[in-house]
């Protein structure tokens, strides 16, 4: 099973983006040598074409294959079109070695901060997850907006407007991992047999309190899911460990 790095909320722009922190994070992540990197949105701060051009150059610094979904900031100023032109498809499915599946969902809407998966994409996700259940594959769903509220992030706003329906589908299909960003605060919730894991911001200076820029690392074995929180200042600790047979 894979070693996965989960990054989010880069906010590449003239303001709000810390290039030094990003470059340090790249060096740390490349040293880990993950099988893949999953980026859960807000590559840019304003969705400008020039910001996406910058983002493509920065993302090329990573050695591992990187798969991204857009965030609400990426969908501004026609950024939803630019994302597909310069980064890739907004929604996608990746199957690896007939062992696990990663499904990327686009929860963004043009020039709107709140999120929405929408009925057509939801039906597509349900079909893919049906196949995961039939084939008994380890399943990961990645999207930008959090599905469950995150503590210590203030007033709940800019939420996933169809979170209830999405949550039911994810838990009914016993998805193993649901990865998100958006709130710049790392967190783990376990609901039924599904882990909902949020990543903090990798390189934005829009942080709460004394939070540091960070990213998550997932070590997945036949028996265990171990989640590490890595702060870009070098601190690393076990964020959560869960037996696979209980998930």
């Amino acid at each position: 099973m894979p070693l996965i790095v989960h990054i989010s909320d880069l906010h590449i722009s003239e303001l709000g983006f810390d290039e030094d922190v990003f470059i340090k994070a790249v060096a740390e992540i490349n040293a880990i040598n993950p099988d893949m990197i999953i980026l859960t949105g807000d590559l840019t701060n304003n969705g400008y074409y020039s910001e996406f051009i910058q983002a493509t150059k920065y993302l090329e610094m990573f050695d591992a294959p990187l798969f991204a979904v857009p965030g609400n900031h990426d969908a501004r100023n026609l950024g939803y079109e630019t994302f597909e032109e310069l980064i890739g498809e907004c929604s996608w499915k990746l199957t690896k070695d007939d062992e696990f599946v990663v499904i990327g969902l686009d929860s963004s809407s043009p020039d709107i901060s709140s999120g929405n998966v929408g009925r057509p994409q939801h039906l597509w996700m349900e079909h893919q997850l049906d196949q995961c259940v039939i084939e008994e594959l380890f399943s990961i769903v990645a999207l930008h907006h959090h599905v469950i509220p995150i503590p210590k992030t203030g007033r709940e706003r800019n939420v996933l407007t169809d979170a209830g329906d999405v949550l039911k589908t994810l838990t009914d299909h016993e998805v193993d991992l649901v990865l998100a960003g958006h709130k710049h605060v790392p967190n783990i919730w376990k609901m039924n047999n599904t882990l909902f894991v949020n990543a903090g911001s990798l390189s934005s200076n829009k942080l709460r309190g004394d939070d540091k820029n960070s990213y998550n690392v997932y070590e997945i074995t036949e028996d265990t899911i171990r989640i590490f929180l890595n702060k870009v200042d070098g601190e690393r600790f076990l964020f959560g460990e869960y037996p696979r047979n209980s998930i």
Side-chain angles (χ1 to χ4, degrees):
M1 292 296 288
L3 177 67
I4 298 173
V5 166
H6 173 200
I7 64 176
S8 197
D9 295 85
L10 281 56
H11 288 278
I12 294 169
S13 58
E14 291 186 6
L15 299 174
F17 171 67
D18 193 324
E19 182 183 53
D20 291 339
V21 167
F22 178 84
I23 292 173
K24 185 175 182 180
V26 168
E28 291 181 8
I29 292 169
N30 286 343
I32 294 171
N33 192 29
D35 294 290
M36 69 175 63
I37 300 169
I38 298 176
L39 169 51
T40 53
D42 280 359
L43 290 67
T44 69
N45 197 53
N46 302 291
Y48 294 140
Y49 199 92
S50 59
E51 292 178 351
F52 275 106
I53 291 291
Q54 282 183 287
T56 59
K57 295 177 180 178
Y58 283 121
L59 295 182
E60 287 175 355
M61 296 179 182
F62 289 109
D63 294 334
L66 185 145
F67 304 90
V69 293
N72 57 298
H73 283 261
D74 298 319
R76 298 175 179 176
N77 301 305
L78 293 180
Y80 55 93
E81 294 182 354
T82 307
F83 186 97
E84 292 207 324
E85 177 186 344
L86 297 179
I87 305 300
E89 293 184 356
C90 292
S91 300
W92 41 266
K93 174 187 175 183
L94 168 70
T95 303
K96 184 72 171 176
D97 300 328
D98 294 325
E99 291 184 343
F100 71 98
V101 169
V102 185
I103 297 170
L105 297 178
D106 178 11
S107 61
S108 70
S109 299
D111 300 301
I112 297 175
S113 294
S114 60
N116 181 263
V117 169
R119 190 61 182 160
Q121 188 177 209
H122 194 149
L123 290 172
W124 172 79
M125 173 183 65
E126 285 184 330
H127 175 69
Q128 304 305 324
L129 293 177
D130 285 343
Q131 292 301 310
C132 290
V133 172
I134 292 170
E135 298 174 22
E136 298 183 342
L137 298 176
F138 188 92
S139 55
I140 301 172
V141 172
L143 72 168
H144 178 65
H145 291 81
H146 55 294
V147 182
I148 305 175
I150 307 300
K152 297 184 179 180
T153 59
R155 180 170 60 90
E156 187 65 13
R157 55 185 179 143
N158 301 336
V159 297
L160 193 68
T161 56
D162 50 355
D165 292 330
V166 173
L167 182 61
K168 185 176 190 325
T169 294
L170 296 171
T171 54
D172 282 353
H173 287 80
E174 297 190 338
V175 172
D176 294 282
L177 283 171
V178 179
L179 311 184
H182 188 48
K183 298 294 278 187
H184 297 200
V185 172
N187 189 73
I188 302 174
W189 288 126
K190 182 173 182 284
M191 178 174 287
N192 296 346
N193 292 320
T194 300
L195 291 174
F196 295 82
V197 190
N198 272 67
S201 170
L202 184 73
S203 54
S204 169
N205 58 26
K206 295 188 292 183
L207 302 171
R208 290 176 169 82
D210 63 351
D211 280 355
K212 302 293 191 300
N213 295 104
S214 64
Y215 55 94
N216 298 339
V217 178
Y218 305 91
E219 292 182 356
I220 304 168
T221 69
E222 292 182 359
D223 302 317
T224 308
I225 300 174
R226 302 178 77 199
I227 304 170
F228 293 89
L229 177 61
N230 290 47
K231 297 185 178 181
V232 182
D233 63 6
E235 183 182 0
R236 177 179 187 264
F237 62 89
L238 184 63
F239 204 27
E241 182 170 3
Y242 304 87
R244 279 278 300 274
N245 58 12
S246 72
I247 303 244

